[in-house]
Amino acid sequence: DFEAALAEVKPAFGAVTETLEEYRLNGILEYSDHFRHLLATCKTLVEQVRSSEQTPLLTCLLEGPLGSGKTALAATLGLDSEFPYVKVISSDSMVGYSEAGKAQRIAKVFDDAYRSSMSMIVLDDIERLLEYVAIGPRFSNAILQTLLVLLKKQPPKGRRLLVVGTTSAPAVMEDMGIAATCNVCLHVPALREADVRAVLAALQAFAPTDLDAAVASLAEQEVPMKRLLLLVDLARQGVPDGQHISLQRWIQVLTDLSLS
Amino acid sequence: DFEAALAEVKPAFGAVTETLEEYRLNGILEYSDHFRHLLATCKTLVEQVRSSEQTPLLTCLLEGPLGSGKTALAATLGLDSEFPYVKVISSDSMVGYSEAGKAQRIAKVFDDAYRSSMSMIVLDDIERLLEYVAIGPRFSNAILQTLLVLLKKQPPKGRRLLVVGTTSAPAVMEDMGIAATCNVCLHVPALREADVRAVLAALQAFAPTDLDAAVASLAEQEVPMKRLLLLVDLARQGVPDGQHISLQRWIQVLTDLSLS
Amino acid sequence: DFEAALAEVKPAFGAVTETLEEYRLNGILEYSDHFRHLLATCKTLVEQVRSSEQTPLLTCLLEGPLGSGKTALAATLGLDSEFPYVKVISSDSMVGYSEAGKAQRIAKVFDDAYRSSMSMIVLDDIERLLEYVAIGPRFSNAILQTLLVLLKKQPPKGRRLLVVGTTSAPAVMEDMGIAATCNVCLHVPALREADVRAVLAALQAFAPTDLDAAVASLAEQEVPMKRLLLLVDLARQGVPDGQHISLQRWIQVLTDLSLS
Amino acid sequence: DFEAALAEVKPAFGAVTETLEEYRLNGILEYSDHFRHLLATCKTLVEQVRSSEQTPLLTCLLEGPLGSGKTALAATLGLDSEFPYVKVISSDSMVGYSEAGKAQRIAKVFDDAYRSSMSMIVLDDIERLLEYVAIGPRFSNAILQTLLVLLKKQPPKGRRLLVVGTTSAPAVMEDMGIAATCNVCLHVPALREADVRAVLAALQAFAPTDLDAAVASLAEQEVPMKRLLLLVDLARQGVPDGQHISLQRWIQVLTDLSLS
Amino acid sequence: DFEAALAEVKPAFGAVTETLEEYRLNGILEYSDHFRHLLATCKTLVEQVRSSEQTPLLTCLLEGPLGSGKTALAATLGLDSEFPYVKVISSDSMVGYSEAGKAQRIAKVFDDAYRSSMSMIVLDDIERLLEYVAIGPRFSNAILQTLLVLLKKQPPKGRRLLVVGTTSAPAVMEDMGIAATCNVCLHVPALREADVRAVLAALQAFAPTDLDAAVASLAEQEVPMKRLLLLVDLARQGVPDGQHISLQRWIQVLTDLSLS
Amino acid sequence: DFEAALAEVKPAFGAVTETLEEYRLNGILEYSDHFRHLLATCKTLVEQVRSSEQTPLLTCLLEGPLGSGKTALAATLGLDSEFPYVKVISSDSMVGYSEAGKAQRIAKVFDDAYRSSMSMIVLDDIERLLEYVAIGPRFSNAILQTLLVLLKKQPPKGRRLLVVGTTSAPAVMEDMGIAATCNVCLHVPALREADVRAVLAALQAFAPTDLDAAVASLAEQEVPMKRLLLLVDLARQGVPDGQHISLQRWIQVLTDLSLS
Ligand SMILES: Nc1ncnc2c1ncn2[C@@H]1O[C@H](COP(=O)(O)OP(=O)(O)OP(=O)(O)O)[C@@H](O)[C@H]1O
Ligand SMILES: Nc1ncnc2c1ncn2[C@@H]1O[C@H](COP(=O)(O)OP(=O)(O)OP(=O)(O)O)[C@@H](O)[C@H]1O
Ligand SMILES: Nc1ncnc2c1ncn2[C@@H]1O[C@H](COP(=O)(O)OP(=O)(O)OP(=O)(O)O)[C@@H](O)[C@H]1O
Ligand SMILES: Nc1ncnc2c1ncn2[C@@H]1O[C@H](COP(=O)(O)OP(=O)(O)OP(=O)(O)O)[C@@H](O)[C@H]1O
Ligand SMILES: Nc1ncnc2c1ncn2[C@@H]1O[C@H](COP(=O)(O)OP(=O)(O)OP(=O)(O)O)[C@@H](O)[C@H]1O
Ligand SMILES: Nc1ncnc2c1ncn2[C@@H]1O[C@H](COP(=O)(O)OP(=O)(O)OP(=O)(O)O)[C@@H](O)[C@H]1O
Ligand SMILES: [Mg+2]
Ligand SMILES: [Mg+2]
Ligand SMILES: [Mg+2]
Ligand SMILES: [Mg+2]
Ligand SMILES: [Mg+2]
Ligand SMILES: [Mg+2]
């Protein structure tokens, strides 16, 4: 019985941290004022759950384009929170599960969280948890309903819970009622020109004199963090460690990959 | 057999009350004349079930925007009714149930109610009970049909039942025939400007001189009770107990959370 | 085996009558010439099944708005017919049945009817029997096909059967082919102004001098019987037995309930 | 094993005839030249199957409005054919069967037919066999595919088969490919004015002097045989045997039943 | 295990031929130059599979109106090929099979073919194999996917396979990707006026002097072979063996059957 | 347990190569500069996975018309990579598997790959793996979700994986989110006029003087490699080994096969 087992459970702290670190292998670059403010707002929410007795449950949705850094941000919050229970629910670990199996596992994580005085749950890539596809559209209503209920369910007396969801399909979250159910909804943007420059500079990818030209070579207005990191990595192929990427190599990589 | 067991059943009163109290943790503020009138109308319905022999079954639908206070209102009616049997049917307690399982459990609650001389059942968040989602749209027809039948089924001779449903999707209730099946349909509104002021005043959140400015800072025309309570709570973070929220802090919270 | 059991079966008369009475707790008011004519036509159909050898099967559909009195009318015919077998098929008694289970139970009632020399079956609220909902739309095709077949199936030699269906969704019945399959289709209307007056007079709800004003207070052009009876009942709350409802109380009830 | 059992099977002749007679309780009135010609064409098809070695399989679809006499016509052909195997496949006898069960039973009847030197199968009310409903539309594809295959499958060497289908949904039969699969498609019409007169005269329902007026009273341009027979039967209620129906009574019945 | 059993399998030749002959009971009339050329092209494909080492798999789709002679043509190719393994996959022999069962049986025939040095498989009436119906549309995706894979799967080294499909729904084959997957797509037309004359002449149905008139009597521009053969057969009813059909009889048959 | 088994697994190299060779029976002709560049870009990706520690997972989609050479290209990359684990996931080997079975088998291949230090997986004909069909459209969402998760899932620390998918339905891949999930998307085109000439020359199909005319005979603007190879093969039928195809024979083949 659940009520009976409602004693505080402290999972081994190290293990959890390790997993969270995997979601932000490259650390976190605070590449703009806007990003720093976003981070601060998120931390306010963590603080609220830690300190307020009036807010046993707080739910926050991070939405933004593919690869903009949503999961890395959520993982960072989890690491910094130092809550006794922090858990990422990701479809990675549920390949091959049935709809009911996934719903059950999600509910299990919430049940575990309710046993800890303060908890944080990351619902990573909600559209993937929901098995969503735009054609149809199709998705698992069983999992959706489970989420909608859990996002509103009050933890037992004296327990507090922060739920952070990530999604790159905010319109779908609206239609499904997930956005409206969350208390707060924050946008994690792709990189604009100044952000790209800041990231390239921080990565020391180019000689300072080449930086402007390197940024200008990117045709697209906005680049997600993930894509920029990949392009730099590809361009570094064959470049000796510690040396800069030449503009020529950079432009070749950009050309090759958009020859599609 | 059901008929055989039709003896009056008195559940332990305290237990039920406790659950109902959970749905209105913050008590009930009678923040406007309109709200007081709404409350009074609802109580007339309770009275009718208590006193009239001609009305063995009365069904009432409370509809209004997310977080406007529908569930708290229904719980209040249940508490005040002092009926021997008062039960909230909520999807909270049915996570992981199959459609058939949910339908069965709902029917069970009605069966139990029929054994008590006077009963009240709250169908909380009907769209969630129905596993409704606007995309498709999808929902459980098995559960819907169960509700439609139970909302019309006469209790056995001498038993009386009040059913109060809550929903934030009145158009869906129309399309599904639930609205038409209910005897009475009442609207629970979000807070308008004057209501917001009344609530903020009652909460003693601001210095009296700041109240007008605090109300004016809210860009939205209408704010649901739930959202207002959360905003106040967030703004109170770091504010020592008994002190007022400064206007500056208030505006910062409002800005941060709409930076999305 | 069915053929083997084709002996005449006489169910205990009283029991059936009791159930039928439940569907017309308030008796039948013959509130207008039109209603009286409707009743007469229905009775002709009963008579035809009783007396004609050429008509072993007669099927009649009663359609009209929610609460207009269709079920009460069908129950009245059943009571007056004095047929040895009269049975109401209602979704009330099939909550929790599967589609196949419902279809089977319906077929069972027809099988039982075929064993009686003269029978009447009421298919109450056909859209509910079919688990119909306008969204989709969805319904049980298994049950629909069962009904369509049974509505055309000749009883065995020497047996006669009257089937009366009720519905508040005549357009759906058209689309599903039920209307066309029935031999006769009759409309049971809501109350117009003169009808309302007749009913209020018969109920002695108002002082004769208040009657005109009471009728005029009703904004709606047409009121179903069910709604009118509820309004009167609510208005009577707190009014001592035998006293009239005051106009003031009447108008307050009307106002409260349309504040939604 | 089927091939092993391919010996000629002669079902008891009388039994089959009895069943066929049930489908034409009122006999067959040859009410017009057109109807006589239709009957003759049908009989040519029966003759073809009896006599031609080139035509082991002949398929014919009878389509026309509800109650126009399609089933009675098909039954008449079966009776007149004197084929050793004549069978009506009707949904009557399959209430409660699953899709697969129905498909299996249909296939079984064809298998039985293949064992007889000459056979006729009536597929009565094909849309009902297919569990068709216009909403959706829905139907059993399993049964449809079974029919489409069986309607093209050659009987074993030396066996001959006539299949006659009836339907009141010719457009559906087109869409489903059943019409195109049948070799011949014939229309069974409702009664026009002259036909109505011929039928009423044959039934001796009215005094000869009243016949014209009786026909003229029918508002509808076309009346299916079934409806006309019902109207006459209802009008005869209370009229002593052997007496004519008065025009007054006739008009009252017509009026009552269209008050719907 | 399949690989282990990859020895050459020679089915009894006579049995297969017998089955193939059933699909062309009337022999093949080479009624026009166009038809002869079509036949020649098909035979080139057979030759290619027999002789080329570069073409282990060749797939050909025969499409044309209902009854135009597609199956007879495919059967002729199978008979003439003298390949050790020739098999017709037809829905005839799979009545009552589940989707999975059909898919499995189709795969089995391909597996068997892979064991023979040279094989030909006829996929007869592909839309029927797929349980296709235009309403919806509906079809078995399980069977479709099986076909799409098998139509591209290379036989094991040293084995060669010709697949010939027939269909009267070429647009559906396009939409499903079957047409694009086939290497070759050939049209089998209905009979035009000159073709009709050639067929009627070859059948010696009319006196030479009546031939022109007989052809002219056919209202339709194009007649499928199947329909023409049926019409002649019906017209021959009652005509003594060896005698010609009279024009009068011909025209009567044409008239009767289009009275629908 | 999977983690426990995470030792490096080296499959027998020869076996894998053999299978890959089957997908490029005709070797690879580098028929144009564009094609050579495409090949080079692909090889850069292989190199990246081999050498970069920052890129544990790289995903690449090859899209182009049916038969343009996508699978042959992917197989070539696998052969040249000399990675210890290279595996083609093709629907060929999963005929008759259920959706869940296919998803499971795909996941198994990824699991195996994670145990090797460097791996390459070819997802051949993704639309076929997904059981996609444009009518509906229909596809297996279970398999799609598995792919979407696996295409983003990081291999365990120290393991590197290249995934190459092929598809001839790029728009579908967009709609399903597969294109956006892949890091790189490359187009494999059909042959233009100059490419056709280069291929025909390399195959020594025609006398050099006939080459221009042979190319000009092809009506279509673009021809996929697969179709061109088939046409040449068909034209070679009956042409002695080592001799050229005559223009006459070439044109006859082209004409015959477009007579459809
Ligand atoms: N602020 C940052 N500074 C440095 N690296 C970052 C930052 N944000 C994200 N990254 C890196 O960018 C990559 C993509 O980030 P992440 O996976 O969090 O994006 P995402 O928005 O969750 O992507 P997806 O939409 O695919 O789920 C990761 O490798 C992550 O470590
Ligand atoms: N009149 C009131 N006075 C004080 N607090 C209230 C009042 N009404 C509601 N609340 C509080 O506001 C919050 C939201 O109320 P409640 O959950 O009843 O809203 P709801 O309309 O049921 O929301 P939802 O649409 O999410 O189900 C709760 O914390 C409740 O205690
Ligand atoms: N003619 C009548 N005189 C008096 N009371 C009536 C009359 N007709 C109906 N009633 C009463 O009105 C109420 C509604 O009638 P009833 O349930 O038959 O309506 P209905 O049309 O079947 O409703 P629904 O559409 O909800 O099934 C019942 O309490 C019934 O007893
Ligand atoms: N030519 C006829 N002469 C006399 N009675 C007829 C004739 N045709 C039909 N009937 C009678 O009319 C009634 C309806 O006929 P039948 O059931 O064959 O019509 P149907 O077209 O099959 O109807 P449905 O569309 O409902 O299946 C039956 O009672 C039948 O006996
Ligand atoms: N060229 C021909 N000469 C003589 N008879 C033919 C010829 N082609 C077809 N037939 C005959 O015509 C009839 C119809 O042919 P077949 O069944 O092959 O047509 P189909 O196109 O496969 O028809 P369906 O579309 O119904 O499958 C058969 O009896 C067949 O023997
Ligand atoms: N560059 C090339 N040089 C020579 N032969 C080639 C080349 N590319 C492809 N081929 C050959 O062309 C044929 C078709 O190639 P392949 O199967 O790879 O095409 P595909 O694009 O995968 O086709 P599909 O869309 O049907 O899957 C094969 O026989 C292959 O060996
Ligand atoms: Mg992410
Ligand atoms: Mg609520
Ligand atoms: Mg009713
Ligand atoms: Mg019929
Ligand atoms: Mg055919
Ligand atoms: Mg390929």
Side-chain angles (χ1 to χ4, degrees), chain A residues 37 41 44 47-48 52 54-55 58 107 137-139 141 144-145 148-149 152-153 175-176 180 183-186, chain B residues 26 66 91-92 95-96 125 127-128 131-135 138-139 226-227 230 233-234 237 249 256-257 259-260:
Chain A
H37 192 97
T41 303
T44 308
E47 227 38 56
Q48 184 75 6
S52 164
Q54 303 285 333
T55 317
L58 206 50
R138 301 192 204 167
F139 56 91
N141 196 23
L144 172 59
Q145 297 300 330
L148 286 172
V149 169
K152 273 181 80 172
K153 183 173 178 176
D175 290 352
M176 287 181 170
N183 299 125
V184 181
C185 189
L186 299 169
Chain B
N26 308 300
L66 270 172
S91 41
D92 258 36
V95 166
D125 239 345
E127 58 272 32
R128 203 55 51 237
E131 308 187 356
Y132 177 81
V133 55
I135 307 180
R138 301 193 204 165
F139 56 91
K226 194 174 189 174
R227 186 162 182 78
L230 176 72
D233 209 40
L234 277 171
Q237 188 178 308
R249 169 88 193 135
D256 281 4
L257 296 190
L259 103 185
S260 65

Side-chain angles (χ1 to χ4, degrees), chain E residues 9 38 57-59 78 85 91 99 104 111 161-162 167 175 183 186 189 194 202 208 215 225 244-245 258:
Chain E
V9 173
L38 176 62
L57 175 69
L58 207 51
T59 52
Y85 185 88
S91 41
E99 284 190 35
Q104 205 173 351
D111 266 4
L161 173 60
L162 173 65
T167 182
D175 290 351
N183 300 125
L186 300 169
V215 172
M225 177 66 85
H244 289 134
I245 301 163
S258 61

Side-chain angles (χ1 to χ4, degrees), chain C residues 2 9 12 16 33 39 47 52-53 55 58 66 80 90 118 137 142 151 155 165 182 192 199 214 222 233-234 246:
Chain C
F2 170 65
V9 173
V16 173
D33 282 352
L39 205 60
E47 226 38 58
S52 163
E53 308 226 327
T55 316
L58 206 51
L66 270 170
D80 292 1
S90 146
M118 272 177 297
L151 283 171
C182 285
R192 306 258 179 80
V199 171
E222 302 209 325
D233 210 39
L234 277 171
S246 72

Side-chain angles (χ1 to χ4, degrees), chain B residues 161-230:
Chain B
L161 173 61
L162 173 63
V163 183
V164 177
T166 78
T167 182
S168 47
V172 174
M173 297 300 116
E174 290 277 337
D175 290 352
M176 287 182 171
I178 286 185
T181 300
C182 285
N183 299 125
V184 181
C185 188
L186 299 170
H187 180 65
V188 183
L191 306 173
R192 307 259 179 81
E193 199 168 321
D195 308 327
V196 168
R197 164 189 296 268
V199 171
L200 291 181
L203 295 174
Q204 297 182 296
F206 297 93
T209 48
D210 284 348
L211 196 55
D212 280 349
V215 171
S217 311
L218 272 168
E220 305 161 74
Q221 286 263 319
E222 303 209 325
V223 193
M225 177 65 85
K226 194 174 189 174
R227 186 162 182 78
L228 186 64
L229 294 177
L230 176 72

Side-chain angles (χ1 to χ4, degrees), chain F residues 148-185:
Chain F
L148 286 172
V149 169
L150 293 175
L151 284 170
K152 273 182 79 172
K153 183 174 179 176
Q154 298 290 330
K157 215 162 196 170
R159 314 290 161 144
R160 301 206 286 259
L161 172 61
L162 173 65
V163 183
V164 177
T166 78
T167 182
S168 46
V172 175
M173 297 299 116
E174 291 277 338
D175 290 352
M176 287 182 170
I178 287 185
T181 300
C182 285
N183 299 124
V184 182
C185 189

Side-chain angles (χ1 to χ4, degrees), chain C residues 90-249:
Chain C
S90 146
S91 41
D92 258 36
S93 55
M94 296 195 280
V95 166
Y97 278 58
S98 69
E99 284 189 34
K102 286 185 189 176
Q104 206 174 349
R105 202 158 146 178
I106 292 169
K108 177 68 167 52
V109 171
F110 276 80
D111 266 4
D112 288 351
Y114 297 149
R115 297 182 201 181
S116 165
S117 61
M118 272 177 297
S119 311
M120 174 172 162
I121 292 172
V122 178
L123 293 169
D124 195 34
D125 239 344
I126 298 182
E127 58 273 32
R128 203 53 52 237
L129 290 176
L130 294 176
E131 306 186 357
Y132 177 82
V133 55
I135 307 181
R138 301 194 204 164
F139 56 92
S140 161
N141 196 23
I143 300 176
L144 172 59
Q145 297 299 330
T146 299
L147 287 188
L148 286 173
V149 169
L150 293 175
L151 283 171
K152 272 180 81 170
K153 183 172 178 177
Q154 298 289 331
K157 216 162 195 167
R159 314 290 161 143
R160 299 205 290 256
L161 173 62
L162 173 65
V163 182
V164 177
T166 78
T167 183
S168 47
V172 174
M173 297 300 117
E174 289 277 338
D175 290 351
M176 287 182 171
I178 286 185
T181 300
C182 285
N183 300 124
V184 182
C185 188
L186 300 169
H187 180 63
V188 183
L191 306 173
R192 306 258 179 80
E193 198 168 322
D195 307 328
V196 169
R197 165 189 294 269
V199 171
L200 291 182
L203 296 173
Q204 297 181 298
F206 296 93
T209 47
D210 285 348
L211 196 54
D212 280 349
V215 172
S217 312
L218 272 166
E220 306 161 73
Q221 286 264 317
E222 302 209 325
V223 193
M225 177 67 83
K226 194 173 186 174
R227 187 162 182 79
L228 186 63
L229 295 177
L230 176 72
L231 289 171
V232 169
D233 210 39
L234 277 171
R236 268 182 173 147
Q237 188 180 306
V239 176
D241 264 18
Q243 288 210 349
H244 289 136
I245 301 163
S246 72
L247 269 181
Q248 187 189 356
R249 168 91 193 133

